[in-house]
Amino acid sequence: YNIMFGPDKCGYTKRTHLIFNYKGKNVLKKSDLAYKQEGEGTSHVYRLVVKPDNTVLVEIDEEKIYEGSLKEDWEMLAAKEISDPDDKKPSDWVDDSMMDDPEDKKPADWVEEKRMVDTDAKKPDDWDDEEDGEWEAPTKDNPGYSGDWSVRRISNPGYKGFWEAKKIANPEYVDEEALYSY
């Protein structure tokens, strides 16, 4: 096919498909179109208009649900700009917005052991070390258990934000004015 268009219900996924075949590859729209088939038992009229200016119009029952561009809403063409492969993140760049609080210390009486040996347990009188193996006292919940301790997190004063390489023109980008044409 060159164009796949219409309602699609597959399991819990419900959408209106609009897929173009471009240079042998099926290219889906970057975001889903509305689904208008919800259990009403009536027929619907789906209309797709592909225009020579590379724009697309989708209507369901004469209601416009999408109007946009083949160049912007489908990944048919290579990106106009790419990240500069020679641009490197500065060595002093801080990516983490949060950090461990250097002032926060685990309390000395903090108990992390969830279980403990039951010191009240006694070896059974009929326990045979040769037959049953060496006896070990069972464990029980530790009444002093404080939970897992983790250091408090605070805002990182050195945080510079998300680093992104500068953009340059993509040498592989080629504009195509006839995307609409099949």
Side-chain angles (χ1 to χ4, degrees), residues 3 18 20 47-59 64 66-71 74 76 176-182:
I3 299 173
L18 182 46
F20 291 94
R47 180 176 175 203
L48 168 65
V49 180
V50 182
K51 302 177 187 175
D53 64 354
N54 290 315
T55 60
V56 175
L57 171 68
V58 174
E59 294 177 346
K64 178 172 75 175
Y66 167 77
E67 187 168 20
S69 166
L70 285 170
K71 292 181 180 182
W74 282 264
M76 293 183 179
E176 188 172 327
E177 290 304 318
L179 284 176
Y180 71 94
S181 178
Y182 283 93

Side-chain angles (χ1 to χ4, degrees), residues 4-175:
M4 180 188 287
F5 172 61
D8 179 38
K9 181 179 179 185
C10 185
Y12 293 107
T13 304
K14 299 174 186 175
R15 62 182 165 196
T16 298
H17 259 308
L18 182 46
I19 301 172
F20 291 94
N21 186 295
Y22 180 70
K23 294 187 177 179
K25 293 183 181 175
N26 294 332
V27 184
L28 280 75
K29 188 174 176 304
K30 292 178 186 175
S31 60
D32 287 341
L33 295 169
Y35 182 77
K36 300 277 185 170
Q37 296 286 114
E38 210 51 63
E40 47 194 70
T42 60
S43 296
H44 296 276
V45 177
Y46 282 72
R47 180 176 175 203
L48 168 65
V49 180
V50 182
K51 302 177 187 175
D53 64 354
N54 290 315
T55 60
V56 175
L57 171 68
V58 174
E59 294 177 346
I60 301 176
D61 298 331
E62 298 182 357
E63 175 190 343
K64 178 172 75 175
I65 64 163
Y66 167 77
E67 187 168 20
S69 166
L70 285 170
K71 292 181 180 182
E72 294 173 19
D73 297 337
W74 282 264
E75 293 179 351
M76 293 183 179
L77 303 176
K80 284 184 181 182
E81 294 184 322
I82 59 171
S83 297
D84 183 351
D86 297 328
D87 191 17
K88 304 292 182 219
K89 180 168 56 172
S91 59
D92 65 342
W93 194 271
V94 179
D95 290 298
D96 300 319
S97 63
M98 302 294 285
M99 62 182 264
D100 292 348
D101 182 352
E103 306 287 318
D104 195 22
K105 304 287 183 236
K106 180 166 59 170
D109 61 345
W110 194 271
V111 178
E112 288 188 333
E113 292 76 31
K114 196 174 200 173
R115 308 269 303 160
M116 60 184 279
V117 173
D118 184 355
T119 54
D120 296 333
K122 303 283 186 243
K123 182 176 177 180
D125 294 336
D126 62 344
W127 190 271
D128 182 351
D129 285 341
E130 286 184 25
E131 191 173 307
D132 299 322
E134 186 178 333
W135 184 81
E136 293 179 13
T139 59
K140 64 178 183 178
D141 288 340
N142 187 345
Y145 176 62
S146 304
D148 293 331
W149 186 85
S150 59
V151 68
R152 181 176 49 241
R153 305 279 289 165
I154 60 172
S155 292
N156 189 343
Y159 177 60
K160 295 184 179 183
F162 175 74
W163 184 85
E164 195 172 0
K166 67 181 177 184
K167 299 288 185 186
I168 60 171
N170 183 354
E172 296 178 14
Y173 174 75
V174 177
D175 194 13

